[in-house]
Amino acid sequence: MSAPWREVFAIGYGRGPARLGTAPGGDSGSLDLGPEFGAPGPDGTWWFLDAAKARVAHYDMAGHYLGQVGVRRLLVGGRYFQWQLPHVLSDGTLVATRNSQRGTLILRVHDGEADEIPVTGLASGDLVAPIYDDGTRLFGYVRRGRSVVVD
């Protein structure tokens, strides 16, 4: 890593709940890959979208395991974990997005519960993933080049 970057903590991979999961991936499907997405919370903790274990895993600022929220019942087709680009808002709510034929959907994890809510007011697939937040709202853009706020 370059000079301004430093390792904050390391989380191992494995079977136990404190470890992150791996699953086959890559172009050949022969690589075991871990979570692609994680996000820091305002309290210094981290949340990881752990697709291999169908959960959102929570760790403290030193990388110690705090718990998880299962999302198996929300998987696409009962199997596919398609959320990406998580954000943790000022109240501790984690949100991540996915697109479907019905439009954009938001995974919401708050107080140990997970649900999925559709983003209304946008045509199917119009929202291109939110790129930043202000702690209460997500900001992104739509395919036609205009910006959008997701409340």
Side-chain angles (χ1 to χ4, degrees):
M1 291 187 269
S2 63
W5 290 91
R6 65 182 176 81
E7 183 176 289
V8 177
F9 57 79
I11 301 169
Y13 298 111
R15 294 183 195 261
R19 304 286 183 173
L20 293 170
T22 61
D27 290 338
S28 66
S30 62
L31 300 172
D32 278 343
L33 301 176
E36 295 179 64
F37 299 101
D43 59 358
T45 64
W46 279 80
W47 292 87
F48 292 92
L49 301 181
D50 192 355
K53 293 186 177 181
R55 68 181 182 159
V56 178
H58 194 198
Y59 295 84
D60 71 12
M61 62 183 64
H64 300 112
Y65 179 69
L66 297 174
Q68 66 185 4
V69 176
V71 295
R72 190 165 304 279
R73 67 180 176 78
L74 297 173
L75 297 179
V76 176
R79 181 176 175 191
Y80 301 104
F81 191 111
Q82 294 184 335
W83 302 285
Q84 62 179 344
L85 304 173
H87 297 262
V88 182
L89 304 177
S90 59
D91 69 352
T93 301
L94 175 130
V95 293
T97 58
R98 75 175 180 89
N99 290 321
S100 76
Q101 292 178 341
R102 299 184 327 238
T104 301
L105 296 122
I106 294 180
L107 170 68
R108 176 177 56 185
V109 176
H110 185 74
D111 286 339
E113 298 291 325
D115 62 355
E116 191 176 58
I117 34 181
V119 176
T120 58
L122 294 172
S124 176
D126 268 354
L127 177 65
V128 177
I131 41 182
Y132 63 96
D133 69 83
D134 69 357
T136 59
R137 295 169 296 186
L138 298 174
F139 297 87
Y141 61 97
V142 291
R143 293 190 198 284
R144 292 180 288 286
R146 60 186 175 87
S147 62
V148 63
V149 175
V150 181
D151 187 356

